[in-house]
Amino acid sequence: MSSLFPALTGHAGDRPALRFGDRAMTYTELAAAAGSVADRIRAADRIAVWATPTLETAVATVGALAAGVAAVPLNPKSGEKELGHILADSAPDAVLTAPGAELPAPLAGLPRIDVDVHATGPVPTDEADHSDDAAPALIVYTSGTTGPPKGAVIPRRAIAATLDALADAWQWTGDDVLVHGLPLFHVHGLVLGILGPLRRGGSVRHLGRFSPEGVARELSAGATVLFGVPTMYHRIAEALPTDPGLVKALAGARLLVSGSAALPVHDHERIASATGRRVIERYGMTETLMNTSVRADGEARPGTVGVPLPGVELRLVEDDGTPIEAYDGESVGEIQVRGPNLFTEYLNRPDATAAAFTADGWFRTGDMAVRDPDGCVRIVGRKATDLIKSGGYKIGAGEIENALLEHPGVREAAVTGEPDPDLGERIVAWIVPTDPQSPPGVDELADHVARRLAPHKRPRVVHHLDALPRNDMGKIMKRALHA
């Protein structure tokens, strides 16, 4: 089996690999520390990682991968009930953590292994003594919006395939320096944000805690690529008018990438107008890693997540499974994917695994999209929460949210459907007004949307909120709105 991180045993040596705040490691130091971790856990079947945004989390994960042991990243913000479920389900042999970290009660009975970033162990070899590329590398738990979180078993081949496909799409090399402030218990922050640079032999600077000031500082000091989620880019867009240093830093970046949720068109345009640089979007899931992306040498149009990555097959299907052949930008279908980027199973859930795949091996993503004439994919939302069937039309919540955000009285917006005896479902808007003392009313917003999109896409109900409920990745939790 080929190495996930050839730079660890190659000639990277004293090149910088990781930096978290004022703590940094070269490739030589990372190889030694990860080798020490690997040596201590080699007999384990699975190992939990207390995934704080620290050097120790990165070293622990690389060490587990070097040992051929499946790592289970744990969200430090998880409640005790959720944490207890994940530990019972995954049954790790121990937990890797930073020295001094306080662990919650559910972890009390698990052997603790403190990660020493200064330790020296046997440098990881080419990993040829491990099992095949289908061997589990990570078990990442889904957000559990429809029940307890499920553990997606991600094989080594999926990590390699996704990172190499992104290298092709983004012209990502060992010369790139990535900056991000994403959490490390999730695919975006851990696989793309930490393992991605290490596979290329480049380096990553983690902000610890995201801030526009931190982004400006790192991009001005040699970082070339920024990863973020829409909430982060929204904060950047808000800061640009009064921060010329941030404008200059973003303008000089090689690549700005947004993911984990759709980036509103309004923020796209504000960033492009101020900096001359367009943010590119990509599309993936815990179970599939990355499926599509706008290419670095392609056109970054707001609202599109680009074309399928090399090695990924993608199709849209009707409710009955019939493939949609039209690339017309209008025909809405569920995205299904096949390729080496997919997970192998939900841990201990053969029923859920079987239900997730078609008989011929396509994974049912539950995401709805259209394809433009040039093949680019536009996500319109989740089948369960973002597809609204109103008056005989299939309507995606995302385009209505973008239209609402263009209204000067709307700071944040979410759109859902609710039962309607005449239409089947009526469109409901949940907005955070710019001025809480003078929020825009339903008629004003309905007319605003109807002029931009179509009359059947106008909201019939508007709720005003102080804030939208979001998870750790900045995604709006729509089920919580109705609750």
Side-chain angles (χ1 to χ4, degrees), residues 140-158:
V140 182
Y141 278 78
T142 62
S143 54
T145 53
T146 56
K150 297 190 292 287
V153 180
I154 299 173
R156 302 176 73 88
R157 66 157 181 264

Side-chain angles (χ1 to χ4, degrees), residues 446-466:
D447 290 345
H448 171 82
V449 170
R451 285 195 304 272
R452 279 161 176 74
L453 301 177
H456 68 269
K457 295 180 180 179
R458 68 188 186 276
R460 312 285 179 137
V461 180
V462 173
H463 298 290
H464 299 116
L465 303 174
D466 295 330

Side-chain angles (χ1 to χ4, degrees), residues 132-357:
D132 66 329
D133 283 351
L138 299 171
I139 301 172
V140 182
Y141 278 78
T142 62
S143 54
T145 53
T146 56
K150 297 190 292 287
V153 180
I154 299 173
R156 302 176 73 88
R157 66 157 181 264
I159 294 175
T162 275
L163 296 179
D164 293 348
L166 289 176
D168 176 88
W170 296 345
Q171 299 169 5
W172 194 357
T173 73
D175 293 329
D176 278 310
V177 178
L178 170 68
V179 57
H180 78 84
L182 298 159
L184 302 189
F185 56 83
H186 196 270
V187 162
H188 192 175
L190 182 62
V191 177
L192 273 61
I194 299 295
L195 305 186
L198 297 181
R199 181 159 175 83
R200 301 271 71 82
S203 64
V204 57
R205 300 176 188 172
H206 195 284
L207 297 172
R209 186 177 182 86
F210 169 83
S211 69
E213 296 79 15
V215 167
R217 181 184 67 247
E218 297 303 340
L219 287 177
S220 299
T224 59
V225 179
L226 172 66
F227 285 177
V229 297
T231 305
M232 296 174 176
Y233 280 106
H234 177 73
R235 288 177 58 191
I236 285 171
E238 294 275 285
L240 284 171
T242 57
D243 191 341
L246 180 60
V247 173
K248 183 178 179 182
L250 290 171
R254 187 181 75 77
L255 205 61
L256 308 174
V257 184
S258 180
S260 294
L263 180 62
V265 173
H266 182 52
D267 289 331
H268 260 291
E269 297 300 351
R270 289 198 291 172
I271 292 168
S273 149
T275 68
R277 300 303 309 274
R278 287 206 168 269
V279 180
I280 70 169
E281 294 188 81
R282 84 297 180 284
Y283 161 62
M285 302 175 67
T286 302
E287 293 91 338
T288 66
L289 301 188
M290 293 301 111
N291 297 309
T292 74
S293 181
V294 174
R295 295 184 60 86
D297 54 3
E299 180 189 358
R301 297 197 306 273
T304 177
V305 292
V307 295
L309 291 167
V312 178
E313 296 179 79
L314 182 146
R315 70 182 184 184
L316 304 184
V317 300
E318 301 278 11
D319 288 344
D320 64 2
T322 305
I324 295 171
E325 306 295 345
Y327 286 24
D328 57 7
E330 293 290 336
S331 301
V332 177
E334 182 187 6
I335 298 173
Q336 295 184 348
V337 292
R338 284 195 306 201
N341 54 311
L342 295 190
F343 77 130
T344 52
E345 63 174 336
Y346 291 117
L347 187 67
N348 304 321
R349 291 291 304 276
D351 54 335
T353 304
F357 288 90

